Amino acid sequence: MVIYTIDKRESNRITCLRALCVVLVIFLHQYAGALGDTAFVATGTVVSNQTLEAIQYIISRIVTFAAVPLFFLISSVLLYAKEFTWKSNMKKKLKSLIFPYVLWITIYILIYCIGQTIPATALYFANAKRQVREMAICDFIGAYTGVGGNGIFVNALWFLRDLIILNFIAPMIKILIDRFPRLVFILLMILWNMGHVPGILILNTQSIVFFCLGYYVVKYGIRMKLLDKLSVRGGVFYISF
């Protein structure tokens, strides 16, 4: 078992990174597209401007896209940093991931069901793919798993779904990387740059790639202090040793 002790400084950095990622995710979901294409104009809204639209795109569609991969990478590192068994890990994830995931989707379904029943609020729950009383068994299965029906009932929770699945197969991922480290790494790079995960596998490309890379970080003892040696000279990154 590879020992990967996370000291206090690294722990603090990880905590700061997670907090930063939360902020980035919020910005990621605030992208409104071209300012001139909005259906309404709120008081104080700046009119369409190419410079502002470019800044908005850079922040909400480039910089913030690092948040989700970082979340998967950090989750993987924290998991593989210490020895665990499948049973002990899933017991912990039952409380921290699975139960909250199922609970929140159930709450959303109930809210939609009630909202669609009351005439005064039905208009606000008119999503054609979220008509609870018309949902079949396959729709309810899809609402929780993303397989079948109209997909996950709460789209934003796809991250938790992927994290649950990846934790479920975490020992298998470790075995594969230990036996074929170079091959798996090459396949991950191909998947990230050119590949597409078949819908039947449910998982998102970035979740697979960065969760697996998290184990590489642990396996080869890659430390955050390596970043302290980075410097920029003439627009090129250098590592000083």
Side-chain angles (χ1 to χ4, degrees):
M1 173 67 185
V2 179
I3 298 177
Y4 191 87
T5 303
I6 298 176
D7 59 31
K8 184 174 179 58
R9 187 180 183 188
E10 283 183 316
S11 178
N12 290 337
R13 285 187 170 189
I14 290 174
T15 299
C16 290
L17 270 178
R18 293 168 79 172
L20 176 61
C21 286
V22 170
V23 176
L24 292 179
V25 168
I26 294 174
F27 273 94
L28 188 156
H29 287 94
Q30 297 306 308
Y31 182 63
L35 298 177
D37 294 339
T38 53
F40 64 91
V41 178
T43 303
T45 300
V46 180
V47 295
S48 178
N49 180 289
Q50 289 186 345
T51 301
L52 292 177
E53 289 175 4
I55 294 173
Q56 178 190 212
Y57 185 86
I58 291 172
I59 294 175
S60 295
R61 282 296 175 270
I62 297 178
V63 176
T64 62
F65 267 42
V68 174
L70 268 175
F71 267 131
F72 281 113
L73 184 71
I74 292 172
S75 298
S76 178
V77 170
L78 293 177
L79 172 65
Y80 288 114
K82 51 184 177 294
E83 190 173 0
F84 68 92
T85 64
W86 180 88
K87 183 177 180 180
S88 64
N89 181 44
M90 293 312 299
K91 186 176 181 179
K92 292 179 180 178
K93 296 306 183 289
L94 181 64
K95 297 178 180 179
S96 62
L97 287 179
I98 301 175
F99 179 72
Y101 174 78
V102 173
L103 178 63
W104 276 110
I105 291 181
T106 302
I107 289 174
Y108 264 78
I109 292 175
L110 290 175
I111 291 175
Y112 266 74
C113 183
I114 295 171
Q116 290 163 0
T117 303
I118 303 173
T121 60
L123 177 65
Y124 303 103
F125 298 90
N127 190 320
K129 295 182 178 181
R130 297 290 184 269
Q131 296 300 310
V132 179
R133 293 180 178 275
E134 298 176 6
M135 290 172 61
I137 294 178
C138 64
D139 295 318
F140 279 102
I141 294 175
Y144 288 93
T145 65
V147 180
N150 295 311
I152 297 180
F153 201 87
V154 186
N155 294 326
L157 294 184
W158 71 267
F159 170 85
L160 286 181
R161 178 205 60 191
D162 280 23
L163 201 53
I164 291 169
I165 296 174
L166 287 166
N167 272 275
F168 189 85
I169 62 174
M172 185 184 302
I173 291 174
K174 181 181 181 299
I175 291 173
L176 285 174
I177 293 176
D178 283 340
R179 291 186 179 180
F180 313 103
R182 292 184 178 83
L183 175 61
V184 173
F185 185 80
I186 291 173
L187 292 176
L188 289 174
M189 293 304 99
I190 293 174
L191 176 62
W192 179 246
N193 289 284
M194 297 180 291
H196 177 72
V197 181
I200 190 66
L201 296 180
I202 309 176
L203 294 169
N204 185 283
T205 298
Q206 57 189 330
S207 66
I208 296 175
V209 172
F210 285 90
F211 192 87
C212 289
L213 289 180
Y215 179 57
Y216 277 95
V217 169
V218 173
K219 179 178 175 63
Y220 293 104
I222 302 172
R223 294 290 177 175
M224 295 181 72
K225 62 184 179 182
L226 180 65
L227 297 176
D228 298 336
K229 300 180 181 180
L230 288 176
S231 61
V232 181
R233 300 174 186 174
V236 180
F237 281 106
Y238 291 86
I239 299 179
S240 58
F241 294 94

